[in-house]
């Protein structure tokens, strides 16, 4: 089964994927709290003037379940948070099968999502990068998304930031992760017509 791999600088990022129990708990909780807070604001649920995330217990509960959910995703989802400030930015890479339904959904995205630039990587080739550092709706957090279409799968990497003033300083580090993204697969000899088997005799 195909899965994603990437190389994130451990001095900058903490991997949420694969962190179980107490390992990475503080970073998981902070990142999830930030995302819950941003989602609440987008839904109009945040109180006026509230700048810090809420929902401590919910964030804790979700943080305990997240590693198991990511493990069940079996490498199709990778998540990192900023080491120095886990509530500042969360980065998620995802591998999805390019079904007709998914292609239709992508084609129906709002017109502002067409404002992309080319982003090329050694492993995935030419892709697209979209930066929404000042979304029209002030309740929408700034984000950047990178997309590659391999023909059979979509590879996406999305970074959500809680501070509009710091997006520009974070993006170069996100670019570094995006450039290392690659798809790997486990193939046994004989599974591919391009594999040549030589008889030891």
């Amino acid at each position: 089964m195909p899965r994603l791999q990437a190389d994130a600088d451990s001095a900058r990022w903490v991997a949420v994927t694969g962190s179980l129990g107490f390992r990475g708990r503080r970073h998981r909780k902070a990142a999830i709290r930030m995302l819950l807070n941003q989602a609440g604001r987008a839904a109009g649920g945040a109180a006026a003037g509230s700048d810090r995330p809420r929902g401590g217990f919910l964030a804790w509960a979700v943080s305990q379940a997240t590693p198991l959910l990511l493990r069940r995703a079996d490498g199709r989802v990778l998540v990192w948070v900023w080491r120095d400030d886990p509530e500042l930015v969360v980065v998620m890479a995802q591998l999805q099968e390019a079904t007709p339904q998914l292609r239709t959904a992508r084609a129906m995205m709002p017109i502002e999502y067409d404002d992309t630039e080319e982003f090329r990587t050694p492993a995935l080739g030419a892709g697209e990068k979209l930066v929404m550092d000042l979304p029209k709706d002030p309740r929408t957090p700034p984000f950047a998304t990178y997309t590659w279409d391999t023909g059979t799968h979509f590879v996406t990497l999305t970074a959500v930031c809680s501070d509009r003033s710091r997006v520009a300083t974070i993006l170069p580090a996100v670019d570094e992760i995006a450039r290392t993204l690659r798809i790997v697969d486990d193939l046994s000899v004989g599974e591919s017509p391009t594999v040549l088997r030589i008889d030891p005799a």
Side-chain angles (χ1 to χ4, degrees):
M1 177 179 294
R3 61 188 186 278
L4 288 175
Q5 283 188 355
D7 303 317
D9 184 355
S10 60
R12 292 179 173 177
W13 302 99
V14 173
V16 175
T17 313
S19 62
L20 293 171
F22 288 100
R23 181 185 174 196
R25 180 181 63 175
R26 180 176 67 87
H27 288 83
R28 288 200 310 268
K29 182 179 176 182
I32 293 168
R33 188 167 56 238
M34 184 271 275
L35 293 174
L36 290 174
N37 181 67
Q38 297 295 343
R41 288 182 180 179
S50 175
D51 294 326
R52 301 302 291 173
R54 299 186 183 186
F57 177 77
L58 181 57
W60 174 84
V62 176
S63 74
Q64 303 309 300
T66 297
L68 295 176
L69 294 175
L70 292 177
R71 175 173 286 186
R72 292 182 65 181
D74 195 23
R76 296 187 301 275
V77 178
L78 304 175
V79 180
W80 301 269
V81 297
W82 195 247
R83 178 175 291 279
D84 293 338
D85 187 356
E87 296 182 27
L88 175 63
V89 59
V90 178
V91 178
M92 181 176 73
Q94 189 172 11
L95 177 67
Q96 296 174 289
E97 185 180 352
T99 63
Q101 294 82 1
L102 183 56
R103 290 191 179 277
T104 299
R106 293 184 59 82
M108 297 175 63
M109 295 176 74
I111 191 170
E112 57 263 31
Y113 285 78
D114 293 336
D115 189 19
T116 62
E117 60 185 81
E118 183 178 286
F119 189 88
R120 185 175 293 274
T121 71
L124 297 174
E128 295 181 340
K129 175 181 176 181
L130 173 69
V131 178
M132 299 286 280
D133 51 350
L134 292 173
K136 293 181 180 179
D137 189 338
R139 297 173 299 178
T140 301
F143 67 91
T145 182
Y146 308 69
T147 306
W148 296 266
D149 184 352
T150 70
T152 58
H153 291 82
F154 283 114
V155 177
T156 59
L157 183 141
T158 303
V160 180
C161 186
S162 62
D163 187 344
R164 293 190 177 206
S165 66
R166 299 179 64 182
V167 174
T169 63
I170 295 296
L171 279 181
V174 179
D175 286 351
E176 290 179 4
I177 294 180
R179 290 192 182 96
T180 70
L181 271 177
R182 55 200 180 273
I183 300 175
V184 297
D185 205 345
D186 296 323
L187 286 177
S188 300
V189 175
E191 285 190 43
S192 171
T194 61
V195 175
L196 175 63
R197 303 189 64 177
I198 301 177
D199 191 334

